[in-house]
Amino acid sequence: WRTPRPRRAALAVVLTLTACDRGQGTVTSASSSDLVKDVHILAPAIDIPLPAFELVDHEGKPFTRDGMLGAVWVTGFIFTSCPTGCPGLTRKLSALAQEHEAEADVRFLTLTIDPENDTPEKLAAFASKHGTLRPSWKLVTGKPEVVDQTVLKGFVTPFARGASPAEFTHSERFVVVDKRGHVRGVFDSDEAGQLMAAVNHMLG
């Protein structure tokens, strides 16, 4: 593990979008922003403070950036009508959550990229179906403009919405946020070992 370096002025390269069902959707402001483009960056290379936001969780309770402070969060991105990719990502995150259930300072977050359709009730049903209803896990939605800014600018994760959910695309990577509310790592969903090594380092 290397000592964390200062935040880079620009992060190298674009997060690849992966379609749950590939289509020709219009990319939300991700492609025209200064966001990273195909990133494979380990935690020491990133130190980006999350902006303040006000969203709502699957229980209808407020969820804010300040509410994340004091714990390390592993974050994934889904939409509930996704036919294949999102359930698979959720299963991977659920395996991590089950393995680290006893660690009070490790928590899990799922953000929808389809806030207009994914109500707290739909998120709760999705969580129940995929076995993620646990105290350490929040599924979050909110006003579309707040969700978009939080995902794109805060979690540096691009996505695209098409004319129908079948044309939505999003990253299949997990983002790690430290106890200060700073994004510290972006990991492929198959990199459980590297991801949890980063999490354990942040807990120390």
Side-chain angles (χ1 to χ4, degrees), residues 14-172:
V14 174
L15 257 127
T16 327
L17 293 175
T18 302
C20 290
D21 231 335
R22 290 191 184 276
Q24 300 300 317
T26 301
V27 179
T28 60
S29 55
S31 63
S32 60
S33 71
D34 293 327
L35 296 176
V36 284
K37 293 189 170 185
D38 203 15
V39 187
H40 184 75
I41 304 177
L42 295 180
I46 305 177
D47 191 351
I48 303 172
L50 284 175
F53 58 79
E54 294 185 7
L55 296 169
V56 61
D57 70 17
H58 61 283
E59 296 179 326
K61 298 177 181 178
F63 186 86
T64 66
R65 188 276 313 276
D66 289 349
M68 298 178 68
L69 301 180
V72 176
W73 292 80
V74 183
T75 307
F77 308 88
I78 60 98
F79 57 102
T80 63
S81 57
C82 173
T84 54
C86 298
L89 284 173
T90 302
R91 285 192 295 272
K92 291 178 181 179
L93 203 55
S94 184
L96 290 173
Q98 184 172 0
E99 184 178 350
H100 297 275
E101 189 71 50
E103 179 55 72
D105 289 341
V106 179
R107 298 180 189 172
F108 297 84
L109 177 64
T110 295
L111 278 161
T112 179
I113 63 159
D114 187 17
E116 291 190 352
N117 294 305
D118 286 343
T119 62
E121 293 78 13
K122 283 188 177 180
L123 290 177
F126 181 90
S128 179
K129 180 178 180 179
H130 297 287
T132 68
L133 284 177
R134 58 185 78 218
S136 62
W137 198 321
K138 298 290 186 181
L139 292 86
V140 176
T141 187
K143 295 180 179 178
E145 62 273 19
V146 178
V147 170
D148 290 358
Q149 287 299 307
T150 301
V151 174
L152 293 168
K153 301 292 188 180
F155 288 90
V156 291
T157 297
F159 62 88
R161 296 191 191 103
S164 71
E167 297 176 345
F168 285 16
T169 57
H170 61 88
S171 171
E172 290 195 351

